[in-house]
Structure formats: C-alpha cells, structure tokens
Amino acid sequence: MPFPKPLAAALLLAASLPAAAQSRRETSLTTDWKFTKGDQPDGAKPELNDAKWQTVRVPHDWAITGPFDGKNDAQVVKIEQNGEKDASLKSGRTGGLPFIGVGWYRRQLAVPALGQGGQAVLLFDGAMSNARVFVNGKEAMFWPYGYNSFSVDITPYLRANGPNTLAVRLENQPEASRWYPGAGLYRNVHLITTQGAHVPVWGTYLTTPEVSAAAATVKLRTKVEAPAGSPSLVLYTALRDAKGQVVAQASTPVTGAEVEQSFSVKSPSLWSPETPALYTAESRLMAGKVIQDTYKTPFGIRTFQFEKGKGFSLNGQPRKFKGVCNHHDLGPLGTAVNVAALRHQLLLLKDMGCDAIRTSHNMPAPELMTLCDELGFMVMVESFDEWKAPKVKNGYSQYFDQWVEKDLTNMVHRDRNHPSAIMWSIGNEVPDQSTPEGPAIAKRLQDLVHREDPTRPVTMGMDRYDDDFKYGIAAVLDIPGFNYKPHRYADAITKLPQGFLLGTETASTVSSRGVYKFPAVLAKDKQYPDNQSSSYDLEACRWSQIPDIEFAAQDDLPYALGEFVWTGFDYLGEPTPYDEKWPSHSSYFGIIDLASQPKDRYYLYRARWNTTQPTVHLLPHWTWKGREGQNTPVFCYTNGASAELFVNGKSQGRQTKAATGATDPQTRYRLEWKDVVYQPGSLKVVAYDAQGRTIGSEEVRTAGAPHHIKLVTDRTQLTADGEDLAYVTARVEDAQGNLCPDATQQLHFTVSGAGKFRAVGNGDATNLEPFQLPQMHAFQGQLVAIVQASEAAGLLKLQATATGLKAGELQLTTAKR
Ligand code: GAL
C-alpha cells in the first residue's frame, strides 16, 4: 500500500461510509420544462408567465414532429465537394424539417441549500444551437456549437432561498448545416451541486501507461477545487473491477490543484471490442473522516499501436477497423438522445461484425461513448465539418477563430477516459486542405488535442488528394485519413511519412431497402423517376465506390488500417443522388435504413466482418409479377466460399468466390448468377465453406396476396423507466408467411397497457408522413413501429391493423429494473 497504515485504516473506514454522507448531487433535468418556438423578448425573465408554453421532456427535438416542407432551409448552393459547377436548389439537404429559428426552454431549478463553498453547475451535453443560458434573468453562458458539451457555474446567479428560474434560448440559422442538425435541448442537461471541496466537471484524467499480461499501471490525475479555508484534504481512490471488487487503491494528501495517483492492477482484464472489460476509479475527497466529494471514472485497460509498415494493433493483436460513420440522428426519433435507441443501433452493428464508429462530423452524445465502452466499439471522436473556410454560409467557420480551442478542449476532456475512444478527428473534408495555411491549422489543432491527451492519435477525413500532398496536410496528421480514395492508396503510401493510412470514409453506395432496378449494372449518380436507388448495391456517387472496391484495397494493402463506411444508418438530410429532387429528404447511403431495417448491404458487410457466425443472404426478392421469363440477376452475400442456386428446385449452377488478384473485385466478395430467368415459386441457395461443407441456406418464395400483418419485436422485455424502447417490425405477409414486397397498405397502431406509441418509420426517403402519428404506409412490405415503456410495470400491447388484412398483435412485458 502506498500510504501509512493508520491512514489506511481510516480510509478503509471512510470507504464504507454510507452514500448519504456525500455532498455531491447530480440530477438530469428531464421533466417540467416549458418550451416555445419563436423569439421572446422577456424569455429570460423569472416573472414571465410561461403557463401557456408547451410542457416538454428533455432531451427534446423541437423540429422532428415536422411537418416536412421543401421550403424549410431550402438551400440554393453549389456543393463543391460533390464537384458541382453551378448552384441549384437543394430542398431536402437538411431534412426539410422546421429547425430554423429561435426556441426557448424554461424551468424552475430545485437547488439544494448550498453551504459555505457550495457550488451549483449546469452541464449541457449538447444544445442545438447558439445556446444562451440565463439564471434568474442573467446570462450565465453562451455556447454556439450545438454538438459540444459545456458546463457553467451558476452559483453566483442563484437566490439562496429560491425560487430559481433557468431559461435557455437557442437559435438555429439557415444554411448552417449539410444534414439535419436537430433543434433544441436534444441532449441531457444536468444539475450538479457540491458542498465545499470537490472534483470539477471532467476533473479526472486516467491513463494506462504500461500494460502487460501480468500488470497494468494506471495513472489518475484528479483536479480538486477547494474553497479558501478548506480543511486539509486527502484523495482516496479505489479501482474496482466489473464485479465491484477493489483491485487497487491509493490515498494521497491534496497539496495543489491537481493530485496524481498511480496504481498497479494485477492480471488486468483487457478491453477490446470482443471483450469490453471495464473498471471504475472511485475517488473520495476526504476531510478527516468526512467525505467531501465522490467522483467516479469508468475506464478500461488496453494498449494499441499504429506502426509504420505494420499497421494497427490492439492489445498486441493486428486488426483492421471494421467501422461505420454515423450521424447523430435516430431516424424517426430525431436527434433527441435515447439510450435504448442508441443501444438498438449498436446491437445491429455488432451483429454485422462492426467494431468501430466514426461520429461524423461532430462530438457524440456522452451516452454513445458509454455504450461503446460497454458493448465494445472503438470510436473515432470527431469534432468539425468546417474550419476557417466555409462549406455552408453559416457553418462553424464563423466561430472557428474564437471557439476552436474551447471546443476541442471540452471534447477531449469529456471523452478522454473512455476506453472506446481510440482516436480524435480534427475535421472532415475541410476546404482548408487546399490552402497554404491548411497544414499549419491542422498542426495547431493536432497539438491542441495532444496537449489535452497525448495518448491518442489524431486523424481527419481528407478528400482533396492532390492538394493534401501539394500543400502538405497529409504529412502532418498522426493518421492520414482519406475519404473515397482506394484507387490512390498505392500512390499515397509512397509519399506518406507515417507508413500507413486509413479509409476514414468509404463506399457511399446508395440503395433503397427492398427496391431492385433492372438491368442490374454498375452506375454512378444514377437516378430513377421514383427517387429510389437499387438494392443490387451497384450504384454509387461520382466520387464514391461500391463496397467491394474498398474491400479489395483493404485486403491487398497491408498498410491500409481499415475503413469507416459511409454510413451505418441512413440519416435525415443529404438525399444524394436526389439532392435536387424533393420530396427526397433522407439519405440513401445507409447499410441500414432510416427505420433501422437492414438493407441487403448489411449482409455483404456481415459476411466479411462477422467471422463467428455464418451469413447466407439472397437478393432480390422473388415476387416479380410481369417479369416471368425475363432475366433477373441473383446475388448471394455469404462468408461461404461457394454456393449453388436453385429456381424451383432446378440448379442454376454453383458459383465460387474469385481468389485474391481477380480484376473484378465483385467476384471476390459476392456470388452472382447474372442469367437467372424469373419464374414464380422458390429461389433457394445453399452455401459451402472452402472444404465443401454446407454452412447454411436461404430460400425466398414468391408471395401471394397480402393476408395479414406480422409483428416482430427486437425485444420482449422492457425496463419500466419511461424511456426504454422496442423496435417492432410490421410485415405484410401472404397466407403462407411470405413477405409481400410490393405491399403499401397503410398500417394503424394502437398501444395499450404499460407503454405508448413513440414513432414509426418505413425507410422510404421520399415519405412525408409524420413519424409521430401511429400510422404509416408500408414500404416494400415493411415498416417499423417504436413503442416506449411507461414507468409502471406491466403488459404493453401493440396492435397493427390495415384495411383488408388480418391484424397483427404483440405483447411485451415491462418491469422495474
Ligand atoms: C463526403 C462527406 C460526408 C457525406 C458524404 C456523402 O464527402 O464527408 O459528410 O457528405 O460525402 O457521400
């Protein structure tokens, strides 16, 4: 033990003191908020009567309820990074939702009595945007960047005997974003009070400088704020493993504003995506036997390296990133953060074999980081889509000079203890790449990040290949990241001093779930009259590629560190290739659609990334009235080496994946039968491994007339906490249980019992039906209803009805945790 025995005894005693002795109180301010849209000259004044304002729960996205309108933030712009030469009207670029303008939130604050040296702090996880925080009518804080977390000490503004009024004014400008940013207090707001000496917000910094199988050194730097006249203090810290057992402890007298402690953890359980082992550092600030403050820092122990000529390794094991980029919106739920929704997304990605997330192009919700720690994802935490040079008229460039240091500092301070955080990204496709100042800005930002966290590398997404070398930004970054440049990797590596490179953004293949277009051919910027893209996964943008091209580059080039696919999920806004074609208003890039339904591409990635389970997936569907006798190509996505296809029991031949070196990368990653003639009935594939053993099969049958609705839930048991969610897929099926891929019936939902209907989505990027009404048309025979548990435990019943169809019913149980 690093401290003398008598003190140790006192501290062990202290460690067993009841929680009630602690002075810290943390409350998430979720209820009792009043909200109104539009500016209010007296919005900050405590005496304002806000009784007529809407009562809302925070996190809250004021714009997701719509209505959709092409006039909302319609941008007449030339999208330079898409190579456009002329400006044109982009109606759905930011989702067509009414997020522009001012919104006010107000609420009373119940602040516990603060003694001598007591402090009250508000912590905003993110507020969209230009947040002005008023306490009792006085402005306490302004924070413009809507994605960042910030805190404010409100002690000087409080009335000792209350009441205390909190008001927040938010304002979103037009042409400030390239996607749907959301609006309002869309992330949590916390009130934190302490009495006397305390650890401030993000006051710990934990690193693991030495790790071996035998032991890990854990270093903890803890900031202590002690008001004048505080008694002498000791910081006692216990490290606990996942079971809560103390595995190391230390006690250190507080002699300055920061305390450094060092621990040795024997036989550490190492964190990785496959084994997300977590520990907690529990710090107690003691004045004699009295606990002044308790502060918990969850952490993990792992090592990683990026080595010239060797690439990336985690805990000594070489690996490549199997990553996806994601925007922050949660589809039909909008941007209001919800842990169950994030977990649902991550579990789908996990099953696909994905092990990494890029939080494009901004700081994530803290809940995402916690879930990535727990579920095992490596995160590239990204900061900006713009530096000094604008991409949109009112983007971050207007704040850059004044705010960039503050924004980066908060980003790093908040997330640097997460084992999931594996690298920082200082930007995405910033036009500054093409300026002589670009490399100097990159160096400055990278140095800033290193100043706050020297343990992780810095990257960014570069898209201006020639300029990246001409002006030199590519050589500055710890990890050179390229967007959509597999064809340049071989050249890049000859010029990069780092000796490796990362696919920070890859593929951008477009597709609409369940939609297939004929002929099935490779195409760029392909448009169809129905504003959909084909799910044969052969269509990409002018600047992007089908997945197979990146796969081949990653497989063939040892210095390629892996990829982050654009995108894991469809998102609101950026409806490329239909940027100019309202009503398209959400993306087509997702591997999974806006309503969380996997597209065919999900199985192409799963076949490659999920190495522990077999994948055998067939496309297209097999209900093609009118195509009888016509050529209808069939693809199989599988991790098998070969497969045989049958139409109505008749073999269509066996296809085998091509070996490394094949000129057409598709032949290495897909099995394709290009000459299949459509006949109604059964389409079946049987897949085999390299030794010829069957690994699985799949059969798709031609559907008859729509007959009933089948409800399939991702979960049958929810927590009765008023927040937990189930995603229920409603399928229109024929009498035999085949999906009717053409069904477009409007389905109506009724929820009774221990929950409520929350939202619905069908994944159709052109659909203008609101997400919040309990009804929607099926798209390609399917949609997803999201139901939410109430706070009372019990049975939640969901019913789906549609004219002419037998209703679907489902019951979930909800229970207190
Ligand atoms: C990239 C950009 C992304 C998204 C994507 C679409 O250029 O970084 O934010 O716009 O293109 O392909």
Side-chain angles (χ1 to χ4, degrees):
M1 300 296 290
F3 48 82
K5 274 215 165 114
L7 187 54
L11 289 168
L12 291 177
L13 174 71
S16 62
L17 284 179
Q22 297 165 19
S23 71
R24 170 178 293 264
R25 285 206 202 161
E26 294 198 18
T27 327
S28 295
L29 306 177
T30 50
T31 55
D32 303 321
W33 287 92
K34 293 302 234 178
F35 166 74
T36 193
K37 249 175 112 167
D39 214 355
Q40 307 292 322
D42 294 332
K45 290 201 179 144
E47 60 276 16
L48 177 90
N49 183 351
D50 57 20
K52 294 222 171 81
W53 293 18
Q54 198 187 336
T55 302
V56 297
R57 195 181 165 96
V58 166
H60 175 245
D61 177 347
W62 86 55
I64 192 63
T65 44
F68 289 106
D69 189 329
K71 291 193 210 62
N72 285 323
D73 198 30
Q75 302 185 8
V76 180
V77 284
K78 171 175 75 173
I79 305 181
E80 267 185 44
Q81 74 265 29
N82 294 5
E84 292 180 1
K85 300 275 178 287
D86 301 303
S88 63
L89 176 64
K90 314 284 190 309
S91 294
R93 193 179 193 197
T94 50
L97 287 162
F99 65 89
I100 303 294
V102 175
W104 277 91
Y105 291 81
R106 286 167 59 94
R107 169 189 210 286
Q108 296 303 301
L109 284 179
V111 185
L114 298 177
Q116 186 65 24
Q119 195 190 48
V121 168
L122 286 173
L123 170 61
F124 289 81
D125 291 345
M128 191 61 71
S129 60
N130 291 297
R132 290 188 187 276
V133 180
F134 302 89
V135 177
N136 295 328
K138 300 234 170 57
E139 184 168 327
M141 180 57 111
F142 170 60
W143 201 282
Y145 196 33
Y147 294 104
N148 214 348
S149 296
F150 61 92
S151 64
V152 47
D153 176 4
I154 59 165
T155 324
Y157 306 93
L158 293 174
R159 295 188 190 117
N161 300 313
N164 288 296
T165 307
L166 167 65
V168 185
R169 180 189 188 274
L170 299 156
E171 179 166 11
N172 294 325
Q173 294 171 300
E175 294 194 40
S177 185
R178 298 192 297 114
W179 56 86
Y180 177 63
L185 294 178
Y186 73 113
R187 289 184 181 164
N188 277 297
V189 182
H190 315 271
L191 173 66
I192 304 165
T193 55
T194 49
Q195 307 283 357
H198 62 272
V199 180
V201 170
W202 310 325
T204 55
Y205 180 32
L206 192 145
T207 54
T208 53
E210 286 147 36
V211 180
S212 71
T217 307
V218 176
K219 281 216 154 90
L220 183 65
R221 272 164 43 191
T222 305
K223 287 196 183 116
V224 176
E225 287 178 0
S230 291
S232 58
L233 299 164
V234 169
L235 183 71
Y236 164 75
T237 300
L239 306 190
R240 295 179 188 275
D241 65 14
K243 292 195 193 100
Q245 300 296 319
V246 174
V247 293
Q249 51 189 328
S251 181
T252 316
V254 178
T255 54
E258 192 169 276
V259 181
E260 205 167 308
Q261 295 177 307
S262 184
F263 311 81
S264 178
V265 176
K266 304 269 170 289
S267 310
S269 301
L270 300 188
W271 185 95
S272 75
E274 295 73 33
T275 57
L278 293 178
Y279 292 83
T280 307
E282 194 180 298
S283 305
R284 287 178 178 188
L285 206 48
M286 312 287 302
K289 289 185 183 174
V290 180
I291 301 177
Q292 293 278 303
D293 193 14
T294 305
Y295 195 93
K296 287 190 182 163
T297 309
F299 70 99
I301 300 173
R302 81 276 185 277
T303 59
F304 62 83
Q305 278 165 320
F306 292 89
E307 288 172 285
K308 196 169 182 159
K310 286 195 184 157
F312 171 61
S313 59
L314 182 73
N315 300 326
Q317 300 297 316
R319 58 194 291 157
K320 296 197 181 209
F321 290 97
K322 306 171 184 176
V324 297
C325 304
N326 273 340
H327 270 309
H328 66 309
D329 77 63
L330 297 167
L333 301 178
T335 58
V337 70
N338 177 292
V339 173
L342 286 172
R343 184 187 294 273
H344 172 77
Q345 287 200 335
L346 290 175
L347 290 176
L348 274 169
L349 294 174
K350 193 92 198 162
D351 178 64
M352 190 171 77
C354 169
D355 66 9
I357 309 276
R358 173 185 183 216
T359 69
S360 47
H361 302 298
N362 37 255
M363 298 84 176
E367 291 86 351
L368 179 77
M369 297 305 295
T370 301
L371 284 168
C372 286
D373 288 348
E374 290 171 9
L375 298 173
F377 286 89
M378 298 177 283
V379 187
M380 180 200 299
V381 180
E382 189 153 85
S383 47
F384 310 115
D385 195 45
E386 277 185 18
W387 293 346
K388 270 175 180 305
K391 287 184 191 171
V392 283
K393 202 163 84 192
N394 298 312
Y396 190 75
S397 67
Q398 63 185 315
Y399 307 117
F400 183 83
D401 285 337
Q402 222 190 324
W403 285 90
V404 71
E405 182 168 355
K406 291 180 229 175
D407 275 321
L408 281 179
T409 304
N410 279 22
M411 171 182 89
V412 176
H413 284 189
R414 196 196 75 184
D415 287 344
R416 64 186 173 179
N417 295 326
H418 287 281
S420 57
I422 206 91
M423 64 180 98
W424 307 105
S425 164
I426 51 174
N428 173 61
E429 298 190 352
V430 295
D432 313 63
Q433 290 163 94
S434 302
T435 66
E437 297 77 40
I441 303 177
K443 167 99 176 52
R444 180 178 154 232
L445 303 191
Q446 179 164 278
D447 288 349
L448 269 172
V449 171
H450 287 162
R451 184 187 76 194
E452 304 305 325
D453 176 30
T455 73
R456 292 180 181 83
V458 168
T459 188
M460 70 181 266
M462 296 181 288
D463 65 324
R464 302 180 177 217
Y465 186 81
D466 294 326
D467 288 349
D468 296 330
F469 289 99
K470 178 171 159 200
Y471 295 104
I473 208 166
V476 171
L477 302 163
D478 297 331
I479 300 179
F482 292 100
N483 293 1
Y484 310 109
K485 298 291 179 292
H487 49 294
R488 312 298 285 269
Y489 290 169
D491 177 60
I493 202 66
T494 65
K495 302 176 180 160
L496 287 167
Q498 299 89 334
F500 47 72
L501 53 82
L502 178 64
T504 28
E505 214 171 294
T506 61
S508 263
T509 298
V510 289
S511 63
S512 307
R513 176 189 50 78
V515 174
Y516 305 89
K517 303 288 189 185
F518 302 97
V521 285
L522 285 167
K524 292 275 169 103
D525 293 336
K526 180 77 184 163
Q527 297 192 6
Y528 301 92
D530 62 356
N531 283 26
Q532 306 295 350
S533 297
S534 177
S535 272
Y536 275 111
D537 298 327
L538 295 171
E539 296 171 6
C541 310
R542 198 188 30 73
W543 61 89
S544 66
Q545 300 89 21
I546 58 166
D548 320 58
I549 294 180
E550 186 71 33
F551 293 168
Q554 292 292 338
D555 285 348
D556 297 348
L557 307 173
Y559 52 80
L561 300 171
E563 64 170 317
F564 287 82
V565 180
W566 193 264
T567 46
F569 281 77
D570 272 332
Y571 52 95
L572 293 160
E574 225 189 4
T576 313
Y578 300 106
D579 294 306
E580 295 160 353
K581 302 271 166 71
W582 185 260
S584 289
H585 59 278
S586 58
S587 77
Y588 298 77
F589 297 119
I591 293 172
I592 301 168
D593 78 12
L594 194 71
S596 277
Q597 300 164 101
K599 300 180 188 173
D600 290 299
R601 212 146 13 106
Y602 181 88
Y603 301 95
L604 185 59
Y605 285 98
R606 191 181 192 274
R608 175 176 172 77
W609 285 352
N610 183 335
T611 51
T612 57
Q613 284 162 309
T615 296
V616 183
H617 178 74
L618 262 187
L619 63 143
H621 64 71
W622 212 237
T623 304
W624 294 108
K625 201 166 179 1
R627 281 197 73 77
E628 292 80 1
Q630 289 185 51
N631 171 265
T632 306
V634 173
F635 295 176
C636 175
Y637 297 160
T638 178
N639 45 7
S642 65
E644 186 168 7
L645 184 75
F646 303 87
V647 174
N648 295 334
K650 182 161 177 265
S651 176
Q652 306 293 304
R654 189 159 167 163
Q655 296 286 346
T656 302
K657 283 184 189 164
T660 307
T663 44
D664 176 0
Q666 268 162 256
T667 59
R668 291 171 64 180
Y669 304 105
R670 317 180 185 202
L671 297 174
E672 304 175 329
W673 291 262
K674 292 187 174 154
D675 302 320
V676 180
V677 172
Y678 175 67
Q679 295 161 13
S682 151
L683 180 73
K684 185 177 176 188
V685 75
V686 183
Y688 306 94
D689 66 13
Q691 287 71 43
R693 292 172 299 215
T694 305
I695 66 155
S697 65
E698 195 182 54
E699 184 176 12
V700 196
R701 299 186 71 89
T702 306
H707 171 266
H708 62 263
I709 304 167
K710 179 163 182 202
L711 299 179
V712 184
T713 181
D714 67 327
R715 303 170 64 200
T716 51
Q717 265 224 318
L718 300 184
T719 305
D721 61 359
E723 311 228 321
D724 207 5
L725 303 173
Y727 283 67
V728 182
T729 305
R731 292 163 49 96
V732 178
E733 294 185 345
D734 70 2
Q736 280 71 44
N738 299 305
L739 179 75
C740 300
D742 300 330
T744 56
Q745 277 87 347
Q746 192 180 39
L747 309 192
H748 299 265
F749 295 94
T750 325
V751 177
S752 58
K756 65 171 189 183
F757 171 86
R758 177 70 198 268
V760 60
N762 66 8
D764 175 2
T766 69
N767 179 25
L768 298 178
E769 292 170 283
F771 297 122
Q772 287 74 27
L773 289 184
Q775 59 187 44
M776 191 170 271
H777 287 89
F779 178 62
Q780 303 302 128
Q782 270 176 236
L783 53 69
V784 170
I786 306 171
V787 295
Q788 187 160 46
S790 64
E791 284 177 33
L795 272 187
L796 184 160
K797 292 187 192 164
L798 173 68
Q799 195 190 44
T801 56
T803 313
L805 297 182
K806 190 165 166 265
E809 279 177 18
L810 190 87
Q811 284 195 359
L812 311 174
T813 54
T814 76
K816 287 282 176 199
R817 201 178 311 194

